[in-house]
Amino acid sequence: MTSLGETNRHQGHWRNALGGVHQRVSALPNYRTSGRIVRATGLVLEAVGLRIPLGSACRIELSSQTSGPGSSSARYAEAEVVGFSGEKLFLMPLEEISGLLPGSRVLPLGEGHEANSSARRFPLGDLLLGRVVDGNGRPLDGKGALHDVRHAPLATPPFNPMARAPIDAQIDVGIRAINGLLSVGRGQRMGLFAGSGVGKSVLLGMMARYTQADVIVVGLIGERGREVQDFIENILGEEGRRRAVVVAAPADTSPLQRLQGASYATRLAEDFRDAGRNVLLIMDSLTRYAMAQREIALAIGEPPATKGYPPSVFAKLPGLVERAGNGPRGGGSITAFYTVLTEGDDQQDPIADSARAILDGHIVLSRQLAEGGHYPAIDIEASVSRAMTAIVSDEHHRRAQQFKQWVSRYQRNRDLISVGAYTPGHDPQLDQAVSMFPALERFLQQRIDERANIDETRQVLDGLVSA
C-alpha cells in the first residue's frame, strides 16, 4: 500500500516533467517561415506549415531543369491564399506552375509569418497614362519598365455613402442616343448589356474617345487576346490612348489574375479620383469577372447556387461596383460603364439580373437591330438611366419621353405595318409615330467617326419633337 507522502512525490515528479515539456513546446515557433505543397488538384494547391491571412500573397518554388545532367535551379510563381481548412491553406496561382513538385516550398511574400496582403503593392499615378499593363501592373506594351511610380495596396476602405457628392451634372459621352434619351450623370455607374457580336466594343471605344473626362481607365477582363490589341489600336485610337491606362487580363490568364485585373483597374480610377480628376472607367466585362470568381469558389469547394454561380459571386459584384462613383463634394468622380454579357441574349441571366439591381441604369444592345445594320444597336425601349431626371431639364425629359413613346408605338405595330394591314386615320398617335419613324431612326444611328455633343443633340431632339 502506497503512503500519502510517496503519492505526493510521484505527482510532483510528473508535474515537473510535464512543465518541462510545455516549456520546450512553447519555445518552438508555432509555424515555420515556409510551408510545403501537399496537394494539387485543378486550379487549387493545398499547403501546410504556414499561418498567413486570407488574401495574402506567397511564392511557390518550382523546379526547372538546366543543361547540366542532374542539376536544377529554382524559380518561383506567385499565388494567393483563397481559403483554408484547419491547418491547410488553399492557394490559387497567378501564373503558370509548370515544374511544381510534391513538397515544393511555399514562402510568404514578406517577412516571416507576418506577411499579408498589404505586402503586395501596385503602381499608381500619372506615369501610367498611355501605358498597357497586366493585372500585376507589369507593362505589356514594350515601352520599358515603370520607374519612379507610387505603389499602394489594392484594398481600400468602403466609401461613406453620406460623404459622396450627388449626381447632378450631365456628362457628354459623344453618343447621340445616350446624350439625348439616356442621359448619364458624372459619377453614374451604367451597365452595357449585350450578347456577342452586337457592337459593344465599338460603342465603348466611341465613348472612350468622345467622353469629356480627364482620365480614362480601361479594364479588359477575360476577353480574347486578339481583342485586346484590336481595342487599343483600332477602337480606342491614339487620341483616347494618350489619356488612358489599359489593364489587360485576357481569357488565358488565371481566374485570380482576372479578378485582380478588375480590382487594379478600379484602384487606378480611385487614385485619379482622389487626386480631383474626373475619370471614365470602362470595364469589359463584369460577367468575366463573375465567371473568374465562380471558378475560384467552385475549386475550393463552395456549393453552386443560381445557374452554377456560388453565393460569393453575388457578394463580390457590389463590392467592386460600389468603389466607383463620385468622391466628396468638390472632388473628383468615376463615371463607370460595365459591360454585361447576356448569354443567348437572355436578359434574365443571373449576372445580368444582379448587375441591373446594383447599377444606376442599363443600356441594352439589340441583336435584331445590329443584324439590320442599325448602329449603335441601342434598344431604347429596354434601356433606362436612373439619374436622368436629376441631371436634365423638365423640358428635355418630356421630349425624351415623347420620343420613346413614338418608337414604342411604332414597334408594337411593326408587323401590321409590314404586311400592309395598317390604315392611316384610325389612330392619330400611331399615324404620327409612323410619319416620324424615319427621322427617329436617323437620330438613333451614328457612324463610328461621328461625334454628337450635348448641345447638338438637344437641338436635334427639340426639332424632332416640336415638329
Side-chain angles (χ1 to χ4, degrees):
M1 187 170 172
T2 307
S3 67
L4 181 61
E6 189 176 353
T7 301
N8 289 337
R9 283 195 302 273
H10 282 299
Q11 289 177 347
H13 170 76
W14 283 111
R15 279 197 298 269
N16 292 336
L18 289 173
V21 170
H22 178 70
Q23 288 177 356
R24 288 195 298 272
V25 171
S26 300
L28 293 174
N30 290 331
Y31 288 84
R32 296 187 296 272
T33 56
S34 67
R36 59 187 179 87
I37 299 295
V38 295
R39 188 180 182 189
T41 54
L43 300 173
V44 176
L45 309 176
E46 294 182 14
V48 296
L50 279 178
R51 185 180 183 183
I52 52 179
L54 194 67
S56 300
C58 55
R59 294 185 304 158
I60 301 172
E61 187 178 55
L62 307 174
S63 68
S64 58
Q65 296 298 321
T66 61
S67 55
S71 63
S72 64
S73 61
R75 56 190 180 89
Y76 296 90
E78 191 172 329
E80 184 175 305
V81 180
V82 294
F84 58 84
S85 176
E87 300 296 310
K88 291 182 181 178
L89 296 179
F90 298 142
L91 309 179
M92 180 74 67
L94 280 160
E95 49 199 299
E96 181 60 39
I97 54 170
S98 60
L100 180 70
L101 295 174
S104 293
R105 287 199 307 160
V106 181
L107 306 170
L109 195 62
E111 296 183 0
H113 65 279
E114 295 180 354
N116 54 40
S117 57
S118 65
R120 301 177 60 206
R121 304 174 73 84
F122 296 77
L124 302 173
D126 288 352
L127 292 177
L128 277 86
L129 293 176
R131 302 299 302 269
V132 181
V133 296
D134 66 6
N136 290 315
R138 295 183 296 236
L140 296 173
D141 49 15
K143 294 183 177 179
L146 297 168
H147 298 291
D148 302 323
V149 294
R150 291 185 296 108
H151 287 75
L154 283 185
T156 54
F159 206 97
N160 183 354
M162 297 302 295
R164 287 188 188 274
I167 301 173
D168 55 9
Q170 185 176 359
I171 187 172
D172 187 356
V173 298
I175 311 296
R176 191 182 301 113
I178 299 177
N179 281 342
L181 308 174
L182 303 167
S183 302
V184 178
R186 191 175 301 281
Q188 191 170 347
R189 297 158 302 189
M190 293 286 286
L192 189 60
F193 291 70
S196 56
V198 294
K200 71 178 188 309
S201 296
V202 175
L203 184 60
L204 288 176
M206 291 173 68
M207 286 191 287
R209 290 196 304 273
Y210 301 149
T211 298
Q212 292 181 340
D214 301 324
V215 176
I216 303 167
V217 179
V218 181
L220 300 177
I221 310 302
E223 295 300 314
R224 295 185 292 272
R226 179 195 63 80
E227 284 191 342
V228 172
Q229 186 172 4
D230 181 65
F231 183 91
I232 293 169
E233 294 184 355
N234 302 325
I235 299 178
L236 185 60
E238 190 62 33
E239 177 187 353
R241 187 172 174 179
R242 279 197 300 270
R243 56 191 177 118
V245 184
V246 179
V247 180
D252 59 348
T253 58
S254 72
L256 192 59
Q257 188 85 280
R258 281 172 263 153
L259 280 186
Q260 187 171 285
S263 296
Y264 180 39
T266 306
R267 183 67 183 89
L268 284 165
E270 287 177 315
D271 184 65
F272 288 119
R273 178 190 63 191
D274 294 343
R277 310 280 190 89
N278 292 317
V279 184
L280 173 66
L281 172 63
I282 294 175
M283 189 76 70
D284 188 12
S285 69
L286 195 64
T287 304
R288 305 295 188 201
Y289 174 84
M291 288 179 172
Q293 174 60 24
R294 176 174 66 177
E295 289 181 49
I296 295 173
L298 293 177
I300 62 177
E302 189 176 345
T306 309
K307 227 176 183 180
Y309 286 97
S312 63
V313 173
F314 302 100
K316 266 193 170 293
L317 288 176
L320 181 73
V321 171
E322 284 296 324
R323 292 169 63 182
N326 282 330
R329 292 179 184 272
S333 66
I334 301 175
T335 306
F337 287 89
Y338 300 91
T339 66
V340 180
L341 301 176
T342 51
E343 298 179 6
D345 300 318
D346 178 16
Q347 296 299 323
Q348 301 307 316
D349 177 84
I351 299 302
D353 200 43
S354 178
R356 195 182 293 109
I358 60 178
L359 294 171
D360 303 323
H362 51 274
I363 300 170
V364 178
L365 299 188
S366 165
R367 185 173 300 279
Q368 183 179 0
L369 291 175
E371 290 172 348
H374 184 293
Y375 287 102
I378 299 174
D379 186 344
I380 292 299
E381 295 179 90
S383 305
V384 66
S385 171
R386 295 178 180 174
M388 183 171 178
T389 54
I391 58 176
V392 300
S393 65
D394 291 340
E395 183 181 6
H396 182 172
H397 190 248
R398 283 195 302 271
R399 288 178 173 168
Q401 283 185 315
Q402 180 63 68
F403 189 106
K404 289 184 176 182
Q405 288 171 3
W406 282 338
V407 172
S408 179
R409 181 62 64 95
Y410 182 89
Q411 295 294 354
R412 288 202 304 267
N413 294 275
R414 192 181 191 100
D415 292 339
L416 293 176
I417 298 169
S418 299
V419 300
Y422 159 71
T423 304
H426 297 287
D427 186 343
Q429 291 184 347
L430 178 59
D431 294 344
Q432 191 173 18
V434 171
S435 65
M436 292 292 298
F437 190 75
L440 303 181
E441 200 169 33
R442 285 195 298 272
F443 179 89
L444 295 174
Q445 294 182 13
Q446 187 172 336
R447 297 190 313 272
I448 187 174
D449 58 348
E450 178 186 357
R451 179 175 186 168
N453 60 39
I454 292 178
D455 293 335
E456 175 193 341
T457 300
R458 286 175 181 164
Q459 291 176 4
V460 177
L461 183 61
D462 292 348
L464 279 175
V465 176
S466 62

